[in-house]
């Protein structure tokens, strides 16, 4: 347990910087499936999002930790009612954090007000590992609260939360990375886990696919709750039709975008545009 605690005590920012350096370099030297110019500008744009998120998270994380610890100290949550081994509790805890995030993510797609925030993440028309950073800072109120709600209902402790974040971070980087992953990975690990090819389907421009594959770690939630979809990587077009213009890809525009009325282009409208 001490070893796990020591591992989870590693500053998350070091892990984020390390993973970005490794994956960004790999994307530069290996054969990447999706080619695009101006990668440094794209990286800088997305790093600006991470910078703002870092500040927002600094304050929100304190509140998050306070809530989870308070629930634990007062035995709030279903896991306090049952006796299961320590390791089982950890694994179940990670899975339940992930399942709650699945529902919050699904809600962010279905609720117009939340979609205004979440569409910033989907706006990226050129994807690489730095796309993980692209997200509006206010969105922390959506996904940050998911962890608090999960702990209130199920009663996971801080160790489970630390392990969840520790597993979630490399998954999120890999899922957005512009690297080729073999199909056998989807057919094996993809039965349980979210593979990069699966998450890319979630970034397809066509809303039919955007509203699918909401899971972060375990794809089983999409399989159980009927939102799993698949499309080959070679047929994918990333981003959102309504954010395709160059000026709509800038950091400042995207930061303002939740407060701008932008109509979502539906699947039907997208296909009609293509036919014209
Ligand atoms: Zn989404
Ligand atoms: Zn994503």
């Amino acid at each position: 347990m001490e070893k796990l605690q020591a591992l989870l005590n590693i500053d998350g920012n070091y892990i984020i910087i390390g993973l970005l350096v490794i994956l960004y370099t790999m994307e530069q030297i290996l054969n990447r499936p999706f080619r695009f110019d101006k990668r440094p500008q794209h990286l800088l744009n997305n790093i600006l999002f991470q910078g703002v998120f870092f500040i927002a998270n600094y304050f929100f994380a304190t509140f998050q930790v306070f809530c989870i610890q308070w629930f634990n100290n007062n035995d709030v949550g279903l896991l306090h009612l049952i006796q299961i081994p320590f390791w089982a509790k950890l694994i179940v805890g990670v899975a339940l954090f992930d399942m709650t995030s699945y529902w919050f993510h699904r809600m962010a797609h279905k609720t117009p007000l939340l979609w205004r925030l979440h569409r910033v993440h989907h706006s990226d028309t050129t994807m690489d590992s730095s796309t993980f950073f692209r997200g509006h800072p206010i969105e922390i109120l959506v996904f940050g609260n998911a962890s608090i709600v999960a702990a209130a209902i199920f009663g996971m402790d801080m160790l489970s939360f630390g392990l969840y974040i520790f597993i979630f971070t490399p998954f999120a980087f890999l899922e957005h990375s512009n690297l080729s992953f073999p199909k056998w990975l989807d057919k094996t690990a993809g039965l349980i886990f979210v593979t990069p090819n699966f998450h890319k389907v979630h970034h397809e421009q066509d809303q039919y696919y955007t509203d699918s594959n909401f899971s972060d770690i375990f794809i089983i939630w999409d399989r159980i709750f009927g939102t799993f979809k698949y499309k080959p990587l070679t047929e994918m077009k990333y981003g959102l039709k309504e954010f395709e213009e160059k000026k709509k890809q800038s950091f400042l525009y995207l930061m303002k975008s939740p407060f701008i009325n932008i109509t979502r282009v539906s699947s039907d409208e997208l296909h009609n545009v293509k036919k014209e």
Side-chain angles (χ1 to χ4, degrees), residues 18-214:
L19 283 167
L20 179 68
V21 169
I22 294 167
L23 288 171
Y24 195 85
T25 311
M26 282 170 74
E27 286 165 338
Q28 201 61 29
I29 54 178
L30 295 176
N31 190 15
R32 49 202 181 274
F34 177 75
R35 292 195 170 266
F36 64 95
D37 302 326
K38 299 185 178 166
R39 278 196 84 208
Q41 282 98 320
H42 177 256
L43 175 68
L44 188 71
N45 214 21
N46 286 342
I47 281 181
L48 284 172
F49 280 103
Q50 180 62 13
V52 183
F53 173 81
F54 176 79
I55 298 164
N57 189 48
Y58 187 80
F59 294 102
F60 195 81
T62 313
F63 175 64
Q64 229 172 3
V65 170
F66 169 81
C67 290
I68 296 174
Q69 278 176 341
W70 190 88
F71 296 143
N72 267 269
N73 294 342
N74 292 283
D75 291 344
V76 177
L78 296 171
L79 287 174
H80 292 282
L81 303 175
I82 51 166
Q83 286 290 329
I84 52 170
F86 169 74
W87 283 105
K89 214 168 193 172
L90 269 184
I91 295 164
V92 169
V94 170
L96 291 174
F97 272 122
D98 195 51
M99 187 188 74
T100 314
S101 173
Y102 164 91
W103 282 107
F104 270 71
H105 189 180
R106 199 167 158 174
M107 193 169 70
H109 277 243
K110 299 292 175 191
T111 315
L113 207 61
L114 298 181
W115 175 248
R116 281 175 178 251
L117 297 168
H118 185 56
R119 69 189 175 193
V120 173
H121 179 63
H122 283 269
S123 65
D124 208 343
T125 50
T126 52
M127 265 177 68
D128 66 10
S129 46
S130 74
T131 300
F132 166 44
F133 292 159
R134 191 182 288 212
H136 201 280
I138 304 176
E139 218 190 353
I140 195 160
L141 294 175
V142 181
F143 291 103
N145 276 315
S147 306
I148 296 174
V149 169
I153 298 172
F154 303 111
M156 289 82 90
D157 58 13
M158 276 307 296
L159 198 63
S160 303
F161 183 60
L163 186 62
Y164 165 65
I165 298 295
F166 190 77
I167 297 171
F168 165 81
T169 308
F171 263 82
F173 266 114
L174 283 167
E175 283 162 17
H176 297 97
S177 67
N178 188 15
L179 296 167
S180 294
F181 293 90
K183 278 200 181 118
W184 60 255
L185 193 71
D186 299 338
K187 288 180 181 152
T188 51
L191 293 173
I192 297 172
F193 297 105
V194 180
T195 67
N197 291 345
F198 291 166
H199 189 70
K200 301 252 169 45
V201 177
H202 184 69
H203 280 267
E204 155 68 50
Q205 218 182 47
D206 185 342
Q207 197 186 344
Y208 173 78
Y209 292 103
T210 321
D211 290 349
S212 73
N213 300 10
F214 298 104

Side-chain angles (χ1 to χ4, degrees), residues 207 263-274 276:
Q207 197 186 344
T263 313
R264 189 172 182 178
V265 177
S266 69
S267 275
D268 289 345
E269 284 164 330
L270 186 76
H271 294 303
N272 288 339
V273 168
K274 276 182 188 167
E276 276 165 16

Side-chain angles (χ1 to χ4, degrees), residues 219-233:
I219 198 71
I220 49 173
W221 309 126
D222 283 289
R223 294 192 190 277
I224 294 171
F225 301 121
T227 48
F228 176 73
K229 282 175 193 153
Y230 185 77
K231 186 176 185 176
L233 208 61

Side-chain angles (χ1 to χ4, degrees), residues 219-252:
I219 198 71
I220 49 173
W221 309 126
D222 283 289
R223 294 192 190 277
I224 294 171
F225 301 121
T227 48
F228 176 73
K229 282 175 193 153
Y230 185 77
K231 186 176 185 176
L233 208 61
T234 44
E235 295 170 21
M236 217 81 82
K237 186 158 171 44
Y238 299 128
L240 296 169
K241 187 77 192 161
E242 57 272 30
F243 279 83
E244 253 184 355
E245 267 177 73
K246 201 172 164 244
K247 71 156 196 163
K248 293 183 176 175
Q249 290 290 315
S250 78
F251 172 71
L252 280 177

